[in-house]
Amino acid sequence: MTAVDNSAGARPAQTRDVIYDVDHVTLRFGGVTSLNDVSLKMYRGEILAIIGPNGAGKTSLFNSLTGVYTPQEGSINLAARVGDTPTSVLGAKTHVVNRMGVARTFQNIRLFPALTALENVKVGVETRQKAGPVSAMLGLPWQRREERESTKRAYELLSFVGLTQRANELAGSLAYGEQRRLEIARALGTNPGVILLDEPAAGTNPAEKRDLADLIQRINREDDVSVLLIEHDMKLVMSIAHRLVVLNFGEKIAEGTPEEIQKDPVVIAAYLGTTEDESA
């Protein structure tokens, strides 16, 4: 891994308030162990990166944190927003975890291509609203008020990610990097305490990566949203992450600051395929 100057990167975590408390989690699929006795903590206010070679278990961990998978062993407790009581996510449906304050993007973009950029973001915003289909059909006053509020908030989020001028364009017609930012805007529309980004830089060019790094830092600083990140681009990760957790073959092999991780011989061995003695 190439050493990267992190001096202009993100601020340290502001508190030791725990958002995610993952304790001895093991996830199996038949005879295959995807996560083996993984423990970690994510603190409020930080950008935490999960890195590791392909097949290390990173997406399995994300899926366990968001209710897609239920590990057979261990515990995962979540307190996404300030003042929340830590609550287990094991066995919870994904929409329940979302309402607990967790938003997520995916490695493969999952927008509604036939809807406009504005409509895509409103889908996220309206998950937090009370109006249902009956209220919409009847056009009740409070439903109309919520509709105005959701439109206003969606425009604010489009502005935040730099897509105001694309508001009325179909999501499927946007450039790839713009679609990435639109998916993040939609996720932010759910008003999360923590956002999980699964390889947000995948497929982007160098300019788009720089814009993405700036956006992630602004989400963390200006929106006060904690960020959990899976990413293979080490230059991007090392420039913005406060801490990193390294997985390999489903096990946690290292944890620390970018500077510590870049010097860790076990991490170097995992990425370069050398033995620990050789890398040392």
Side-chain angles (χ1 to χ4, degrees):
M1 292 183 296
T2 303
V4 178
D5 181 7
N6 185 261
S7 60
R11 55 185 168 81
Q14 296 300 299
T15 73
R16 303 307 286 176
D17 187 13
V18 176
I19 291 180
Y20 268 116
D21 188 354
V22 179
D23 189 43
H24 298 290
V25 163
T26 295
L27 175 69
R28 302 185 187 90
F29 298 98
V32 177
T33 300
S34 185
L35 297 172
N36 184 26
D37 197 32
V38 173
S39 295
L40 62 89
K41 285 181 170 62
M42 180 182 185
Y43 299 101
R44 194 172 312 285
E46 74 174 343
I47 300 174
L48 176 63
I50 309 295
I51 67 170
N54 288 330
K58 302 182 296 296
T59 298
S60 290
L61 178 60
F62 260 36
N63 286 338
S64 298
L65 296 175
T66 54
V68 177
Y69 296 156
T70 301
Q72 289 82 9
E73 298 175 21
S75 62
I76 302 175
N77 290 311
L78 168 69
R81 298 189 177 94
V82 175
D84 282 357
T85 299
T87 303
S88 175
V89 303
L90 297 185
K93 300 295 185 182
T94 54
H95 70 275
V96 173
V97 177
N98 175 257
R99 290 182 179 178
M100 293 167 68
V102 177
R104 180 184 178 177
T105 65
F106 294 85
Q107 181 178 354
N108 299 315
I109 296 174
R110 298 187 183 182
L111 295 170
F112 300 105
L115 298 182
T116 66
L118 179 66
E119 290 167 339
N120 267 272
V121 180
K122 286 180 67 175
V123 168
V125 175
E126 289 171 357
T127 62
R128 294 294 175 188
Q129 296 183 336
K130 297 178 181 179
V134 175
S135 302
M137 287 188 294
L138 295 176
L140 299 177
W142 60 272
Q143 188 279 330
R144 294 196 299 270
R145 182 175 65 253
E146 281 197 338
E147 172 68 18
R148 292 192 297 270
E149 290 172 352
S150 70
T151 299
K152 179 176 181 292
R153 179 58 178 156
Y155 271 116
E156 290 172 350
L157 289 168
L158 287 174
S159 175
F160 185 76
V161 301
L163 292 176
T164 304
Q165 302 304 316
R166 300 286 190 264
N168 295 314
E169 296 184 24
L170 295 181
S173 70
L174 301 182
Y176 189 81
E178 292 175 331
Q179 291 186 18
R180 285 284 182 190
R181 284 183 280 143
L182 178 59
E183 190 176 34
I184 291 173
R186 185 179 63 183
L188 291 174
T190 66
N191 190 32
V194 57
I195 185 170
L196 282 63
L197 305 177
D198 192 348
E199 297 196 35
T204 59
N205 62 42
E208 290 169 336
K209 283 184 173 68
R210 289 192 295 271
D211 290 343
L212 178 65
D214 177 68
L215 175 59
I216 292 172
Q217 289 179 305
R218 289 194 297 112
I219 289 169
N220 184 240
R221 289 171 171 161
E222 298 174 22
D223 268 18
D224 200 25
V225 174
S226 304
V227 179
L228 186 57
L229 171 72
I230 291 176
E231 183 52 60
H232 283 291
D233 189 308
M234 289 298 101
K235 183 175 181 180
L236 185 151
V237 168
M238 296 295 177
S239 70
I240 66 174
H242 305 141
R243 291 191 305 124
L244 295 90
V245 169
V246 188
L247 299 180
N248 194 30
F249 295 112
E251 298 184 354
K252 186 177 81 171
I253 61 172
E255 180 177 358
T257 66
E259 293 79 9
E260 292 167 341
I261 293 301
Q262 289 179 86
K263 298 174 183 177
D264 191 311
V266 178
V267 177
I268 294 170
Y271 271 92
L272 300 183
T274 61
T275 67
E276 185 174 347
D277 289 340
E278 288 172 337
S279 63

